[in-house]
Amino acid sequence: MKISVVTVAFNAAATIGDTLRSVAAQTGDVEHIVIDGGSSDGTADIVREHARPGTIFVSEPDHGLYDAMNKGRARATGDLIGFLNADDFYCRTDACVLIAAAATGADAVSGGVAIVRAADPRQMVRAYPSKPFAPWMLRFGHMPPHPGFYTTRAAFDRVGGFDPAIRSGADFDWMLRVFTRARLHVAAIPETLVTMRDGGVSNDGFGSRRAINREALASLRRYGIASAAPVIWSKYAVKALQYIIPARDWPAPEGVRFDA
């Protein structure tokens, strides 16, 4: 089973090397597609140095993160498609093998993510597991970890692309379509597959959280799912538990561990 991994980048020279090397270390049939927004910081040089053989690299202006993700999806030729952004990396060398194995009989697979400090990827901030998750949790703003989520080509076509008009929550809007419109069968992988640096547009202080929660509520209403602002904000009480529970298989076993 061929897996297409899409990486979106813009001036990501500080971190994309880890992303590229972790994809290059994967076993199995893996296609890597890097969509760069026209970086000026040496990102292209790092891609040429560390990319997996056969990597598709496109560097041109785009209309933001989700436009770039749609561009990557359009170029993907794999049986399964997922996204590993330029500040994320696989924390184990068999991640794609586990994804392919779990996809048998499923429309999509969901693996765990470990969120780490941007300055020190060896220090975990919180665990973001693939389970427990159930579709009813969407009304609270919860969704499976997108960096660990892979969809079959046919299922992706049913769901459709990301809405580039949504600034920071188009992945949540997309997940709503996954579970409430396309009603995909999703298989959960218990292991942690991806290490994700903290920060980013959706976690940059109170203002960004307020904006993304406003977008989440608008998306829920768009698809006829009852919710309210206090319900969305209550998700942070549950997220607090993620600072306490350990991530499953993180660090990964020595034989398959990938260290940034």
Side-chain angles (χ1 to χ4, degrees), residues 89-111:
F89 58 91
Y90 292 117
C91 55
R92 50 191 303 153
T93 59
D94 64 346
C96 289
V97 170
L98 293 175
I99 291 165
T104 303
D107 299 309
V109 299
S110 177

Side-chain angles (χ1 to χ4, degrees), residues 132-151:
F133 173 81
W136 63 264
M137 299 170 70
L138 291 164
R139 72 177 64 250
F140 291 87
H142 289 291
M143 68 177 189
H146 194 229
F149 202 88
Y150 284 72
T151 313

